[in-house]
Amino acid sequence: MITLASDFGLAYPAAMKGVVLSRTDARLVDVAHDLPRQDVRAAAFWLRETLPYFPPAVHLVVVDPGVGTDRRAVVLRVGDHVFVGPDNGVLRPPARRVAAELAADAPVEAYEIDVPNPESTTFHGRDVFAPAAADAHVAGASALASVDRFELIPVESLAECRLPEATVSADGREATGEVLVVDDFGNCITNVPGAVVHDAAGETVSVNGESVPVGRTFEAVPRGEKLVTVGSHGNVECDVNHGRGDEAFGLAPGDRVELRVD
C-alpha cells in the first residue's frame, strides 16, 4: 500500500499516481490533497493524527515550499512504515507517533534520495518522490538499503518539526497555548491538553477572557452557540455548534489562547 498526501489540490496528484502505477501495482490510498498550502506545521499535525491508523505502508507526503532548492529528498523508515518526502520536518511528527506505538527496538532508518536531474524544478512530487515511493514499495521496508538511489544517513540529521506545547499551571486549571490548525468545520484545534477541561463538562471556562461553556459534544449547547470541547486528537477545541469557531472566537492558526477553568 502507498498512501498519498499533499497540498496540491486537483490534477497534480494524478500525475504522481501515474508515475507510481507505471512502476508498481501497489494499492494507492489518498489521505488528503487539500492540506493547508505550503504549511509544513499544519500538514505535520494532520498527518500525525491520520497516518498511524494505517497498517504498514509507504507514505508519500509532499508539502514542499522549498521545492527545487537544496533541501534534501528523504526516506524515513519506522518499523514497517516508510515515509517519503522533503526534508523539511513534515515527516517527523507522524513518524514519531508511529514509533511510539511500536516496540522500543523497532528499526528506524533514514536515507537521502539521489536526485541527479529531475525533469522539473517545481514538481518533485511527480519526478522525485513518486518514483522513490514506488521503489520503496517494491524493495520493502526491510530492504531499503538495496535501492541504489537511497543513501543511508543519520536519522538525527533530518530536519525537525516539533509542534509547540502549551504551558499548564501546577493545579491543571489554567493553560496558555495557541491554535495549531483550523479544520474545515471551523473548529479551532489548540495545543492545550484536553485534561485541562476534562472534568469541567457542564461548567464554564475563560477563553481569552470570555466565559464559554464546556461540553462533551457539540449538542451540549444550542445551535449557533460557542463551546469548548475536547477533540478526537485529545486537545482542547474552540467551536460553535453548527457554526464556525474561528469566526466566532476571532482565532486563526498561531493565535494565542489563554484558558482558565472558572
Side-chain angles (χ1 to χ4, degrees):
M1 179 189 298
I2 298 177
T3 73
L4 300 95
S6 75
D7 59 355
F8 289 164
L10 299 175
Y12 294 117
M16 292 197 298
K17 292 180 183 180
V19 170
V20 171
L21 292 174
S22 71
R23 294 167 173 257
T24 174
D25 60 357
R27 177 186 177 191
L28 304 184
V29 179
D30 290 306
V31 175
H33 295 294
D34 56 355
L35 293 169
R37 299 288 189 267
Q38 300 185 331
D39 190 336
V40 171
R41 191 179 85 164
F45 171 83
W46 288 119
L47 297 174
R48 185 190 72 178
E49 300 302 318
T50 305
L51 296 184
Y53 289 95
F54 279 88
V58 174
H59 304 293
L60 171 55
V61 176
V62 192
V63 176
D64 191 18
V67 62
T69 69
D70 60 359
R71 67 92 187 90
R72 295 182 299 184
V74 296
V75 177
L76 175 58
R77 175 197 179 189
V78 180
D80 290 330
H81 288 261
V82 178
F83 300 84
V84 178
D87 185 25
N88 60 13
V90 70
L91 306 180
R92 299 298 292 274
R96 271 195 297 271
R97 178 65 62 83
V98 168
E101 298 178 4
L102 299 177
D105 60 350
V108 178
E109 303 168 343
Y111 299 83
E112 182 173 357
I113 304 167
D114 181 27
V115 186
N117 188 26
E119 182 178 342
S120 169
T121 58
T122 63
F123 197 2
H124 284 188
R126 177 194 67 194
D127 300 336
V128 176
F129 299 121
D135 289 347
H137 173 79
V138 171
S142 63
L144 294 177
S146 68
V147 180
D148 290 340
R149 297 189 302 118
F150 294 176
E151 179 183 351
L152 189 67
I153 58 175
V155 174
E156 297 76 16
S157 74
L158 296 181
E160 185 56 273
C161 175
R162 288 194 178 273
L163 301 173
E165 296 184 2
T167 300
V168 181
S169 64
D171 64 4
R173 295 177 63 84
E174 297 184 31
T176 299
E178 65 180 81
V179 177
L180 291 177
V181 294
V182 176
D183 68 17
D184 287 347
F185 293 98
N187 300 323
C188 296
I189 302 170
T190 77
N191 61 351
V192 176
V196 173
V197 300
H198 182 268
D199 296 325
E203 303 178 30
T204 61
V205 297
S206 171
V207 179
N208 291 346
E210 178 183 7
S211 186
V212 181
V214 179
R216 296 194 185 281
T217 67
F218 297 109
E219 292 291 337
V221 299
R223 290 194 175 195
E225 295 296 318
K226 300 177 183 178
L227 77 154
V228 165
T229 190
V230 180
S232 59
H233 35 68
N235 294 356
V236 170
E237 293 185 4
C238 299
D239 304 336
V240 170
N241 183 19
H242 284 79
R244 294 193 63 89
D246 56 344
E247 296 175 357
F249 284 88
L251 292 172
D255 284 352
R256 181 183 178 93
V257 174
E258 295 183 353
L259 189 147
R260 184 184 71 255
V261 178
D262 293 336

